[in-house]
């Protein structure tokens, strides 16, 4: 992977050189160095075939998109299922303070949030039941014990199969991404729950085909 700086306005004293690694049989890559105006940059990807180049392009695009979201969000939250576990514990405790049927809806929403850490553990071939139980215990302690607030950064370490402090490990997610994912998934669930009617078309019975008028009269289908 190489970075190429360009100066379309020719405002700097550019040094132009040929990339010696391009080979005589391949295309020539010209590198422009020492430009005064550095408003843009290009990335050259080389691979053995088109599939490898496409995969590298996807990886670079994903990395740049993460940086873009971080700059837009201007804040980070710990990754590894920490946010979902903390929110699930908070909502469960809040649900027990209600004396109406809303308690059931909030409790189910809190339980649904645990799908994220469970899925992370399953995809890493870890024991999801054990890991999520430990993760919930840490976040419950962080919320009920002010002296152990630092446990709110605990998330899943899927390499070693245990909870860890993801703040120290440097595992973060953009706040904007986490907020939008929770918002859109909640709106999708609400939309499905609002469907209170269903129109179902049953397939036509092949045995009814070819009936005569006499057969219909005898069976009573024309009565009333």
């Amino acid at each position: 992977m190489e970075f190429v700086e360009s100066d379309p306005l020719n405002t700097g004293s550019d040094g132009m050189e040929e990339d010696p690694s391009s080979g005589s049989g391949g295309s020539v890559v010209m590198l422009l160095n020492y430009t005064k105006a550095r408003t843009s940059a290009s990335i050259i990807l080389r691979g053995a075939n088109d599939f490898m180049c496409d995969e590298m392009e996807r990886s670079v695009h994903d990395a740049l998109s993460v940086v873009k979201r971080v700059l837009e969000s201007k804040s980070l939250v710990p990754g590894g299922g920490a946010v979902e576990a903390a929110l699930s514990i908070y909502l469960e405790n809040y649900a027990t303070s209600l004396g109406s049927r809303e308690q059931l809806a909030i409790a189910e929403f809190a339980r649904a949030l645990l799908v994220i850490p469970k899925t992370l553990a399953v995809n890493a071939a870890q024991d999801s039941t054990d890991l999520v139980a430990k993760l919930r215990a840490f976040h419950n302690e962080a919320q009920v014990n002010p002296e152990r607030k630092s446990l709110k950064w605990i998330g899943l370490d899927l390499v070693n199969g245990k909870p860890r402090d993801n703040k120290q490990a440097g595992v973060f997610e953009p706040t904007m991404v986490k907020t939008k994912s929770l918002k859109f998934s909640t709106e999708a669930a609400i939309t499905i729950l609002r469907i209170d009617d269903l129109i179902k078309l049953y397939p036509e019975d092949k045995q009814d085909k070819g009936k005569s008028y006499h057969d219909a009269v005898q069976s009573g289908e024309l009565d009333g």
Side-chain angles (χ1 to χ4, degrees):
M1 184 183 302
E2 303 171 17
F3 291 85
V4 178
E5 296 176 354
S6 60
D7 185 12
L9 301 179
N10 295 322
T11 58
S13 56
D14 303 335
M16 183 177 296
E17 59 182 18
E18 180 179 345
D19 182 11
S21 62
S22 60
S24 58
S27 58
V28 178
V29 180
M30 307 303 295
L31 304 179
L32 304 178
N33 300 323
Y34 313 110
T35 59
K36 291 183 179 180
R38 302 190 180 188
T39 58
S40 63
S42 299
I43 300 178
I44 300 177
L45 302 175
R46 290 182 178 176
N49 48 51
D50 292 340
F51 298 103
M52 183 179 294
C53 291
D54 292 340
E55 186 65 20
M56 289 189 296
E57 181 182 1
R58 184 192 64 80
S59 300
V60 172
H61 179 270
D62 292 346
L64 294 177
S65 297
V66 170
V67 175
K68 177 184 177 183
R69 293 303 180 191
V70 171
L71 295 177
E72 290 177 352
S73 180
K74 298 181 181 179
S75 61
L76 299 171
V77 293
V83 174
E84 289 81 7
L87 187 57
S88 176
I89 293 295
Y90 177 83
L91 290 177
E92 280 187 356
N93 295 332
Y94 174 71
T96 56
S97 65
L98 300 177
S100 62
R101 64 180 63 186
E102 294 179 355
Q103 178 185 132
L104 300 177
I106 296 175
E108 288 298 325
F109 186 88
R111 192 174 296 110
L113 290 171
L114 297 177
V115 171
I116 300 299
K118 286 181 180 178
T119 304
L120 291 175
V122 170
N123 290 342
Q126 302 290 347
D127 187 352
S128 62
T129 303
D130 182 61
L131 281 179
V132 173
K134 293 179 180 178
L135 185 64
R136 283 168 49 83
F138 279 118
H139 284 279
N140 181 71
E141 183 68 18
Q143 295 183 22
V144 299
N145 190 353
E147 297 180 356
R148 307 198 66 184
K149 269 191 172 183
S150 59
L151 294 178
K152 66 182 180 180
W153 303 104
I154 297 295
L156 296 180
D157 180 4
L158 298 176
V159 176
N160 300 315
K162 61 181 182 180
R164 69 176 176 187
D165 189 336
N166 277 344
K167 181 181 179 181
Q168 294 182 355
V171 179
F172 295 100
E173 297 181 62
T175 306
M176 178 184 295
V177 174
K178 184 64 65 177
T179 303
K180 286 188 175 181
S181 63
L182 292 173
K183 179 180 178 181
F184 293 157
S185 58
T186 304
E187 290 178 352
I190 292 174
T191 302
I192 295 175
L193 293 175
R194 283 177 176 172
I195 300 176
D196 57 356
D197 196 4
L198 178 65
I199 299 176
K200 186 173 182 180
L201 298 178
Y202 292 95
E204 186 178 359
D205 191 357
K206 295 182 179 180
Q207 296 180 356
D208 292 341
K209 291 184 178 180
K211 277 189 175 182
S212 63
Y213 178 79
H214 177 73
D215 295 333
V217 173
Q218 293 293 332
S219 62
E221 295 180 2
L222 302 181
D223 297 341

